[in-house]
Amino acid sequence: MSDNITLSLSQVRELSESVLISNGFNAEHASAISDIIYTNQLGDCHSHGLYRLFMCVESIRSGRASGTATPTISDAGPAVVRADANDGISLLAMKAAMPLLIEKAKKNGVAALAINRCFHFSALWPEVEMLSAAGLAGMAMLPSHAWVAPAGGKRGLLGTNPFAFSWPRHGKAPFTFDFATSQFARGEIELYRRAGKPLPEGVAIDSEGNPTTDAEAAMNGAMLTFGGHKGSALSLMIELMAGPLIDDLTSKESMAAAGGKPEAPYHGEIILAFDPNMLSGGRVAENNDRAERLFADVIEQGARLPSQRRQAAQVFNLERNELEIPRALYEDLLKLKKG
């Protein structure tokens, strides 16, 4: 028997929605969450695809996350939107606030969306690509739980603190990157643990602060930032931008609020949108050509642009209308659905 199972794309979405609804999420939340899970799975982003259903279910079973909360969207200023998730998963609030963010960015040149009081589990690239699909450049960032040690430290203080950026390209898939400021995303370490595989060197430390390649020891110790002090400084910036700046929690405060429960981190998120038309004085076409020359120079050297592999996987999976996932994951998800 193969270690993998093949699902049609409609089965991927149906599996996600049925797991969520059977565990207490209403149709609106299940749809918003499944949109992102499906999009990640389509691009072979396994650590943020169907696997993340476990965290969603754990969050609602903890008794703190709401599967039925209606987000409150506020027009907070000429270039500011606030979205209170009211203790729901972030994605319904993000989806509800995105049209107003886009409208404000096109009117003012720049705009910001602050999402507060949300549980968050997802990758950020799908939401910044919503902005690039509207012709805007976009950034998104947020904290998580204090799983990551600062450069030179020996215990968790910072979150994995992802940062995403997307740039619109005329007639082409956008230039997008999305990475944790830790060496690995937390979900990647969990996938290594589930597979019984050793981690690469330099990714994590154990509970005593010693380097480790054991995923289980890493889960009980702390992860490390990429680039040493540079990644650590960037992670601290994200703590501030998506924490005190928008009146929400840092990673350490989020972890304390969880009280040891296995739920998604509870905090805020900031999304920034930029209008190339207004900021360039209407010279979008000329500057798009300059950006394309920059991308062409990268590719000419034999390098690849961020997200090219993921975007190719999306096209491939869409064309064949199916994808593969580990059989063990599929069976665990079916149990989750029954639970």
Side-chain angles (χ1 to χ4, degrees):
M1 180 182 294
S2 170
D3 290 338
N4 292 330
I5 186 169
T6 300
L7 299 177
S8 70
L9 297 186
S10 61
Q11 286 176 316
V12 172
R13 185 180 290 276
E14 289 164 5
L15 176 60
S16 177
E17 290 189 352
S18 62
V19 166
L20 292 166
I21 289 173
S22 69
N23 280 279
F25 289 92
N26 65 18
E28 290 78 13
H29 276 281
S31 176
I33 294 168
S34 294
D35 282 348
I36 302 301
I37 284 177
Y38 169 85
T39 300
N40 276 277
Q41 200 69 54
L42 186 66
D44 289 345
C45 301
H46 300 288
S47 64
H48 288 80
L50 289 167
Y51 161 72
R52 291 292 171 146
L53 288 169
F54 296 103
M55 183 173 281
C56 292
V57 171
E58 287 167 349
S59 298
I60 199 168
R61 287 181 178 176
S62 75
R64 294 207 312 129
S66 171
T68 59
T70 299
T72 304
I73 310 302
S74 302
D75 185 337
V80 178
V81 184
R82 295 185 65 85
D84 189 334
N86 292 315
D87 296 342
I89 300 292
S90 65
L91 297 172
L92 185 59
M94 181 275 294
K95 182 179 179 181
M98 190 62 71
L100 184 56
L101 175 65
I102 291 170
E103 177 186 326
K104 285 181 176 291
K106 290 188 174 183
K107 181 178 180 180
N108 298 294
V110 296
L113 165 61
I115 304 175
N116 295 107
R117 297 205 301 153
C118 67
F119 290 86
H120 194 280
F121 74 89
S122 53
L124 296 177
W125 66 263
E127 48 209 67
V128 291
E129 287 198 351
M130 291 179 192
L131 295 173
S132 56
L136 303 173
M139 295 180 183
M141 64 194 85
L142 45 77
S144 57
H145 274 173
W147 291 317
V148 181
K154 295 187 177 297
R155 62 181 182 275
L157 172 66
L158 308 172
T160 53
N161 293 10
F163 178 92
F165 172 81
S166 190
W167 173 270
R169 301 176 68 189
H170 297 179
K172 298 180 181 180
F175 169 83
T176 305
F177 64 79
D178 178 2
F179 53 73
T181 48
S182 55
Q183 288 272 21
F184 270 26
R186 183 75 170 180
E188 288 179 289
I189 294 207
E190 172 62 14
L191 289 177
Y192 271 76
R193 188 191 69 80
R194 288 173 67 90
K197 294 167 55 179
L199 296 168
E201 299 280 352
V203 167
I205 54 178
D206 63 20
S207 58
E208 301 299 317
N210 300 311
T212 184
T213 60
D214 183 274
E216 187 73 41
M219 298 288 278
N220 294 320
M223 301 157 67
L224 299 175
T225 61
F226 75 82
H229 67 279
K230 295 179 181 180
S232 185
L234 185 58
S235 185
L236 280 164
M237 179 199 76
I238 293 169
E239 292 280 346
L240 297 170
M241 291 286 289
L245 180 67
I246 63 168
D247 188 33
D248 220 306
L249 303 183
T250 64
S251 296
K252 184 176 181 180
E253 292 166 340
S254 174
M255 181 169 274
K261 293 183 178 179
E263 60 193 21
Y266 180 73
H267 48 64
E269 174 182 0
I270 186 167
I271 303 176
L272 305 173
F274 308 89
D275 181 17
N277 181 59
M278 184 169 289
L279 290 171
S280 70
R283 295 175 56 83
V284 174
E286 297 92 326
N287 287 291
N288 177 72
D289 290 343
R290 296 175 63 232
E292 288 303 316
R293 286 196 294 274
L294 179 62
F295 298 144
D297 285 345
V298 171
I299 294 169
E300 184 192 17
Q301 296 187 33
R304 66 178 178 86
L305 298 175
S307 293
Q308 276 189 313
R309 184 177 301 164
R310 185 257 301 168
Q311 290 163 352
Q314 286 177 295
V315 171
F316 177 73
N317 289 329
L318 279 170
E319 287 178 347
R320 64 177 183 151
N321 195 35
E322 63 184 22
L323 50 79
E324 292 185 352
I325 65 170
R327 184 175 295 275
L329 172 63
Y330 179 69
E331 291 173 351
D332 285 345
L333 289 171
L334 290 182
K335 294 174 187 175
L336 196 65
K337 182 179 174 181
K338 294 175 183 176

